[in-house]
Amino acid sequence: MIEVICNDRLGKKVRVKCNSEDTIGDLKKLIAAQTGTRYDKIVLKKWYTIFKDHVSLGDYGVSLRESL
């Protein structure tokens, strides 16, 4: 179980607990459930890397406590 911290750049941070084998699409659905935003409108990126929906968190190297 890992905890991912997501920032929407408007002052709201969301902490989501998920597994490292979950995909980015699954993470987007968990974030959407907490924020009320549609999951298909969420874009997850870290610096200039935009994460693709079908790749797992472990493949991207998201560690125990990561900020996206």
Side-chain angles (χ1 to χ4, degrees):
M1 185 71 70
I2 60 175
E3 182 178 52
V4 180
I5 302 168
C6 298
N7 186 356
D8 70 352
R9 303 290 186 219
L10 295 173
K12 186 188 288 186
K13 284 188 179 180
V14 177
R15 293 175 183 241
V16 179
K17 293 190 182 210
C18 56
N19 295 318
S20 60
E21 59 268 1
D22 289 343
T23 63
I24 297 294
D26 296 336
L27 178 62
K28 284 182 180 183
K29 290 178 184 176
L30 292 171
I31 294 168
Q34 287 190 5
T35 61
T37 308
R38 290 181 23 203
Y39 78 93
D40 55 343
K41 296 291 184 184
I42 296 174
V43 177
L44 293 178
K45 61 171 97 171
K46 184 172 183 178
W47 289 93
Y48 295 107
T49 304
I50 298 175
F51 296 135
K52 307 223 183 283
D53 286 348
H54 64 280
V55 182
S56 70
L57 294 169
D59 291 340
Y60 277 119
V62 175
S63 60
L64 186 62
R65 190 168 192 171
E66 190 77 27
S67 181
L68 299 178

